[in-house]
Amino acid sequence: MPENFHELLKQDFSDLQAAVKTWQKLAQELEEAQVQHRHKVTGPLHAGKWEGADARTAFRKMEASETQLGVAQSDVSSIATVLDTVHVRMKLAQDKLRQGVRDAEADGYTVDDHGTVTDSRSGTTDADDAEAQAAEKQRVAVMGVYQGIVQDSIDNATSASWEGMQLLQSIDAFTLDKDYGASKAREGARKVADSLFQIGDEFIPSDKDPKENAKWWAGLTPQERQLYIDACPEKIGWLDGIPTTDRDEANRKYLDNSLSEYDLKKQNGDLGIHDERQYGGLRKLQNALDESDGDSDENKRLFVLGIDTKSDGRAIVAKGNPDTADNVAIQVPGTGNDLSNVDEQIDRAGILQKSANDNDGTQKTAVVSWLGYNAPEADASVATPARAREGEADLRAFTHGLRESHHGDRAHMSVLGHSYGSTMVGAAASGGKGIDADDIIVVGSPGMTVDHAKDLHMDPGHVWAGYAKDDPVSLITSDKTLGGNPADKEFGGKVFGVDTEGHSGYWDEDSASLQNQGRIIVGQAPSEEDYHVPPKYVPPGTVGPKW
């Protein structure tokens, strides 16, 4: 005899449905509170350069509160998801049960208050009537089917209730104010995701196709998207093609989790040299985010489009939202850059954005610092294209992903590379279907892995090179192992005017070099130089020009 038949048949789920809506609303309010705290409290204070002992103490407490809001949001969102899933599953079980009872009674069977299905006509047929006996066997078989529907419905409802209870118990609500609260909240979200939706790394697209990523993401419910962000932030944050704001939310969760883990290691004295370096980089990123979050202009805020601490670390940070900008520039740094100097990379993005705005303030421009590859150190690796080959598919996926997630009319996209970063840009542009850029800008380039601009899958007239007259990289290392010199006439591109010195002066304030890069970013023509082959280095004592 089925148990809980009458309870499921008559159950009113309106209270459970109301509870789901309440928890969902609370999760939304917690997220909004965290964002408001970021933009209205800590952000303006950081931007105002509040300093001193009192400031350090206050910021620690405020940052802890901000993190707690995020932890609470994740936990509450998980609770809402569990309750909603329980509600949906039990309601489906009830609907199936009620339909089964109606169908059984319409077929002439009786279903009593305990869920037992009987047939009053059973055993009344003539034993010698073969046709009647066959009909009775058929009715008995059908009665068994209805009894199975009753039992399956009750089993499904019981299973939903039990699994929901187990999951709710696994969400540790007592970690809110603990250093490991963020990681615990992530664990809880993963348990919910794995159990209810089979959400996990294996279900996230992995072929780096931005169109497929965008299609997959759009096909999820808002609830499922939030669960993925909470459960798998380290994957979602790198998913090219999905909205910038979703990637930013996921990456900030990853950043919170990582900082919490490093804080614990530091407290326990377990922070090694590599950890100390990565921890410092993450702190610099968090400080930059804190300062930018106080700006009321979205186009001056920072958005994190990728962050991890593997190897030397990677960081992709946008100044302004590329999904809503009229112009998008992607700046690729070169040799010696890693997570530890992420603040310098962000500063450079800000300088380029300001130059673009100075040239055309009527349009919105977003500049992305793209350290999405393992940049070479100042050793033998800088003379080979190996690091660029390793990362070229990632840069292609990133640029095509920004095209996919952009709102409205097509943005004017420029991809810039400095030093070995130009090698990275060249490898990405020459491979696959290119990088879909409107302009490419390289400065201080040792080579772009090709010998002609036409090999970059774009109009050579929109491939721009700049070099300082005393830049040793352009003058010595080009035309060797990394391809032709982009500033040579034979390369087939264009050369813009540079009035700065050395290998890293291309962004000097008020320089023609910086102004020209800003003009290209907003789709304007820069001042050009006549094509000529830069003088090559000649050892002392020999005849010829010297750099």
Side-chain angles (χ1 to χ4, degrees), residues 82-83 86 158-171:
V82 172
L83 292 177
V86 170
T158 302
S159 175
S161 178
W162 173 257
E163 291 174 13
M165 181 188 69
Q166 295 291 101
L167 285 171
L168 289 174
Q169 289 177 345
S170 73
I171 300 172

Side-chain angles (χ1 to χ4, degrees), residues 497-510:
V498 170
D499 58 349
T500 56
E501 298 178 351
H503 186 55
S504 299
Y506 297 100
W507 305 275
D508 287 353
E509 188 177 1
D510 297 326

Side-chain angles (χ1 to χ4, degrees), residues 393-404:
D394 293 324
L395 180 54
R396 279 195 296 273
F398 182 77
T399 57
H400 286 276
L402 290 187
R403 290 294 192 198
E404 196 66 32

Side-chain angles (χ1 to χ4, degrees), residues 133-395:
Q133 286 293 324
E136 182 173 348
K137 286 182 180 180
Q138 179 64 25
R139 285 190 61 78
V140 171
V142 172
M143 182 176 69
V145 170
Y146 285 128
Q147 190 67 70
I149 292 173
V150 170
Q151 190 62 58
D152 286 346
S153 300
I154 294 170
D155 289 346
N156 289 341
T158 302
S159 175
S161 178
W162 173 257
E163 291 174 13
M165 181 188 69
Q166 295 291 101
L167 285 171
L168 289 174
Q169 289 177 345
S170 73
I171 300 172
D172 191 347
F174 297 100
T175 61
L176 185 62
D177 60 347
K178 304 296 191 300
D179 291 325
Y180 51 84
S183 60
K184 280 292 185 181
R186 179 178 176 276
E187 287 178 18
R190 287 192 73 95
K191 287 179 181 177
V192 172
D194 291 341
S195 177
L196 299 184
F197 298 105
Q198 291 186 319
I199 286 177
D201 294 353
E202 66 272 24
F203 297 100
I204 299 174
S206 59
D207 61 0
K208 298 182 181 180
D209 185 338
K211 285 187 178 294
E212 289 301 315
N213 294 344
K215 181 179 178 181
W216 171 76
W217 191 251
L220 299 175
T221 66
Q223 181 186 51
E224 288 170 333
R225 288 197 288 269
Q226 185 62 57
L227 197 55
Y228 265 111
I229 290 172
D230 291 338
C232 310
E234 73 286 354
K235 293 285 187 179
I236 300 303
W238 286 92
L239 210 57
D240 297 314
I242 73 171
T244 286
T245 51
D246 291 336
R247 295 179 70 169
D248 179 64
E249 182 182 351
N251 283 309
R252 286 179 186 247
K253 284 184 180 292
Y254 174 83
L255 179 61
D256 278 347
N257 290 340
S258 298
L259 286 173
S260 296
E261 291 172 4
Y262 281 125
D263 283 337
L264 275 178
K265 283 185 177 182
K266 189 170 185 178
Q267 291 172 21
N268 297 330
D270 296 330
L271 209 60
I273 295 175
H274 180 266
D275 284 345
E276 187 72 53
R277 187 177 178 84
Q278 305 302 67
Y279 181 52
L282 294 179
R283 273 290 164 207
K284 289 177 180 178
L285 175 57
Q286 184 62 64
N287 291 340
L289 291 172
D290 288 338
E291 187 168 329
S292 82
D293 285 342
D295 204 305
S296 58
D297 184 355
E298 181 191 56
N299 205 48
K300 294 181 181 179
R301 292 179 187 162
L302 297 179
F303 297 84
V304 188
L305 300 177
I307 181 74
D308 72 37
T309 57
K310 299 173 184 175
S311 187
D312 291 334
R314 297 183 297 165
I316 302 176
V317 185
K319 182 81 170 179
N321 187 343
D323 289 355
T324 58
D326 303 297
N327 307 296
V328 177
I330 298 101
Q331 164 71 22
V332 182
T335 306
N337 288 282
D338 55 32
L339 184 59
S340 67
N341 71 329
V342 65
D343 53 334
E344 298 173 15
Q345 298 162 32
I346 292 171
D347 287 345
R348 185 168 293 174
I351 291 169
L352 286 167
Q353 186 193 54
K354 182 179 183 302
S355 178
N357 291 337
D358 287 345
N359 281 284
D360 187 346
T362 66
Q363 301 186 74
K364 290 193 296 184
T365 296
V367 180
V368 183
S369 173
W370 191 88
L371 186 65
Y373 77 115
N374 185 17
E377 297 74 29
D379 56 22
S381 64
V382 76
T384 77
R387 296 290 180 89
R389 296 300 182 200
E390 290 173 3
E392 62 174 280
D394 293 324
L395 180 54

Side-chain angles (χ1 to χ4, degrees), residues 414-457:
S414 305
V415 181
L416 304 83
H418 172 235
S419 191
Y420 194 89
S422 70
T423 309
M424 177 75 253
V425 173
S430 61
K433 296 181 180 179
I435 53 178
D436 198 17
D438 297 296
D439 285 284
I440 286 179
I441 308 169
V442 297
V443 290
S445 175
M448 300 181 70
T449 74
V450 297
D451 292 324
H452 200 283
K454 65 181 175 57
D455 298 323
L456 299 175
H457 287 100

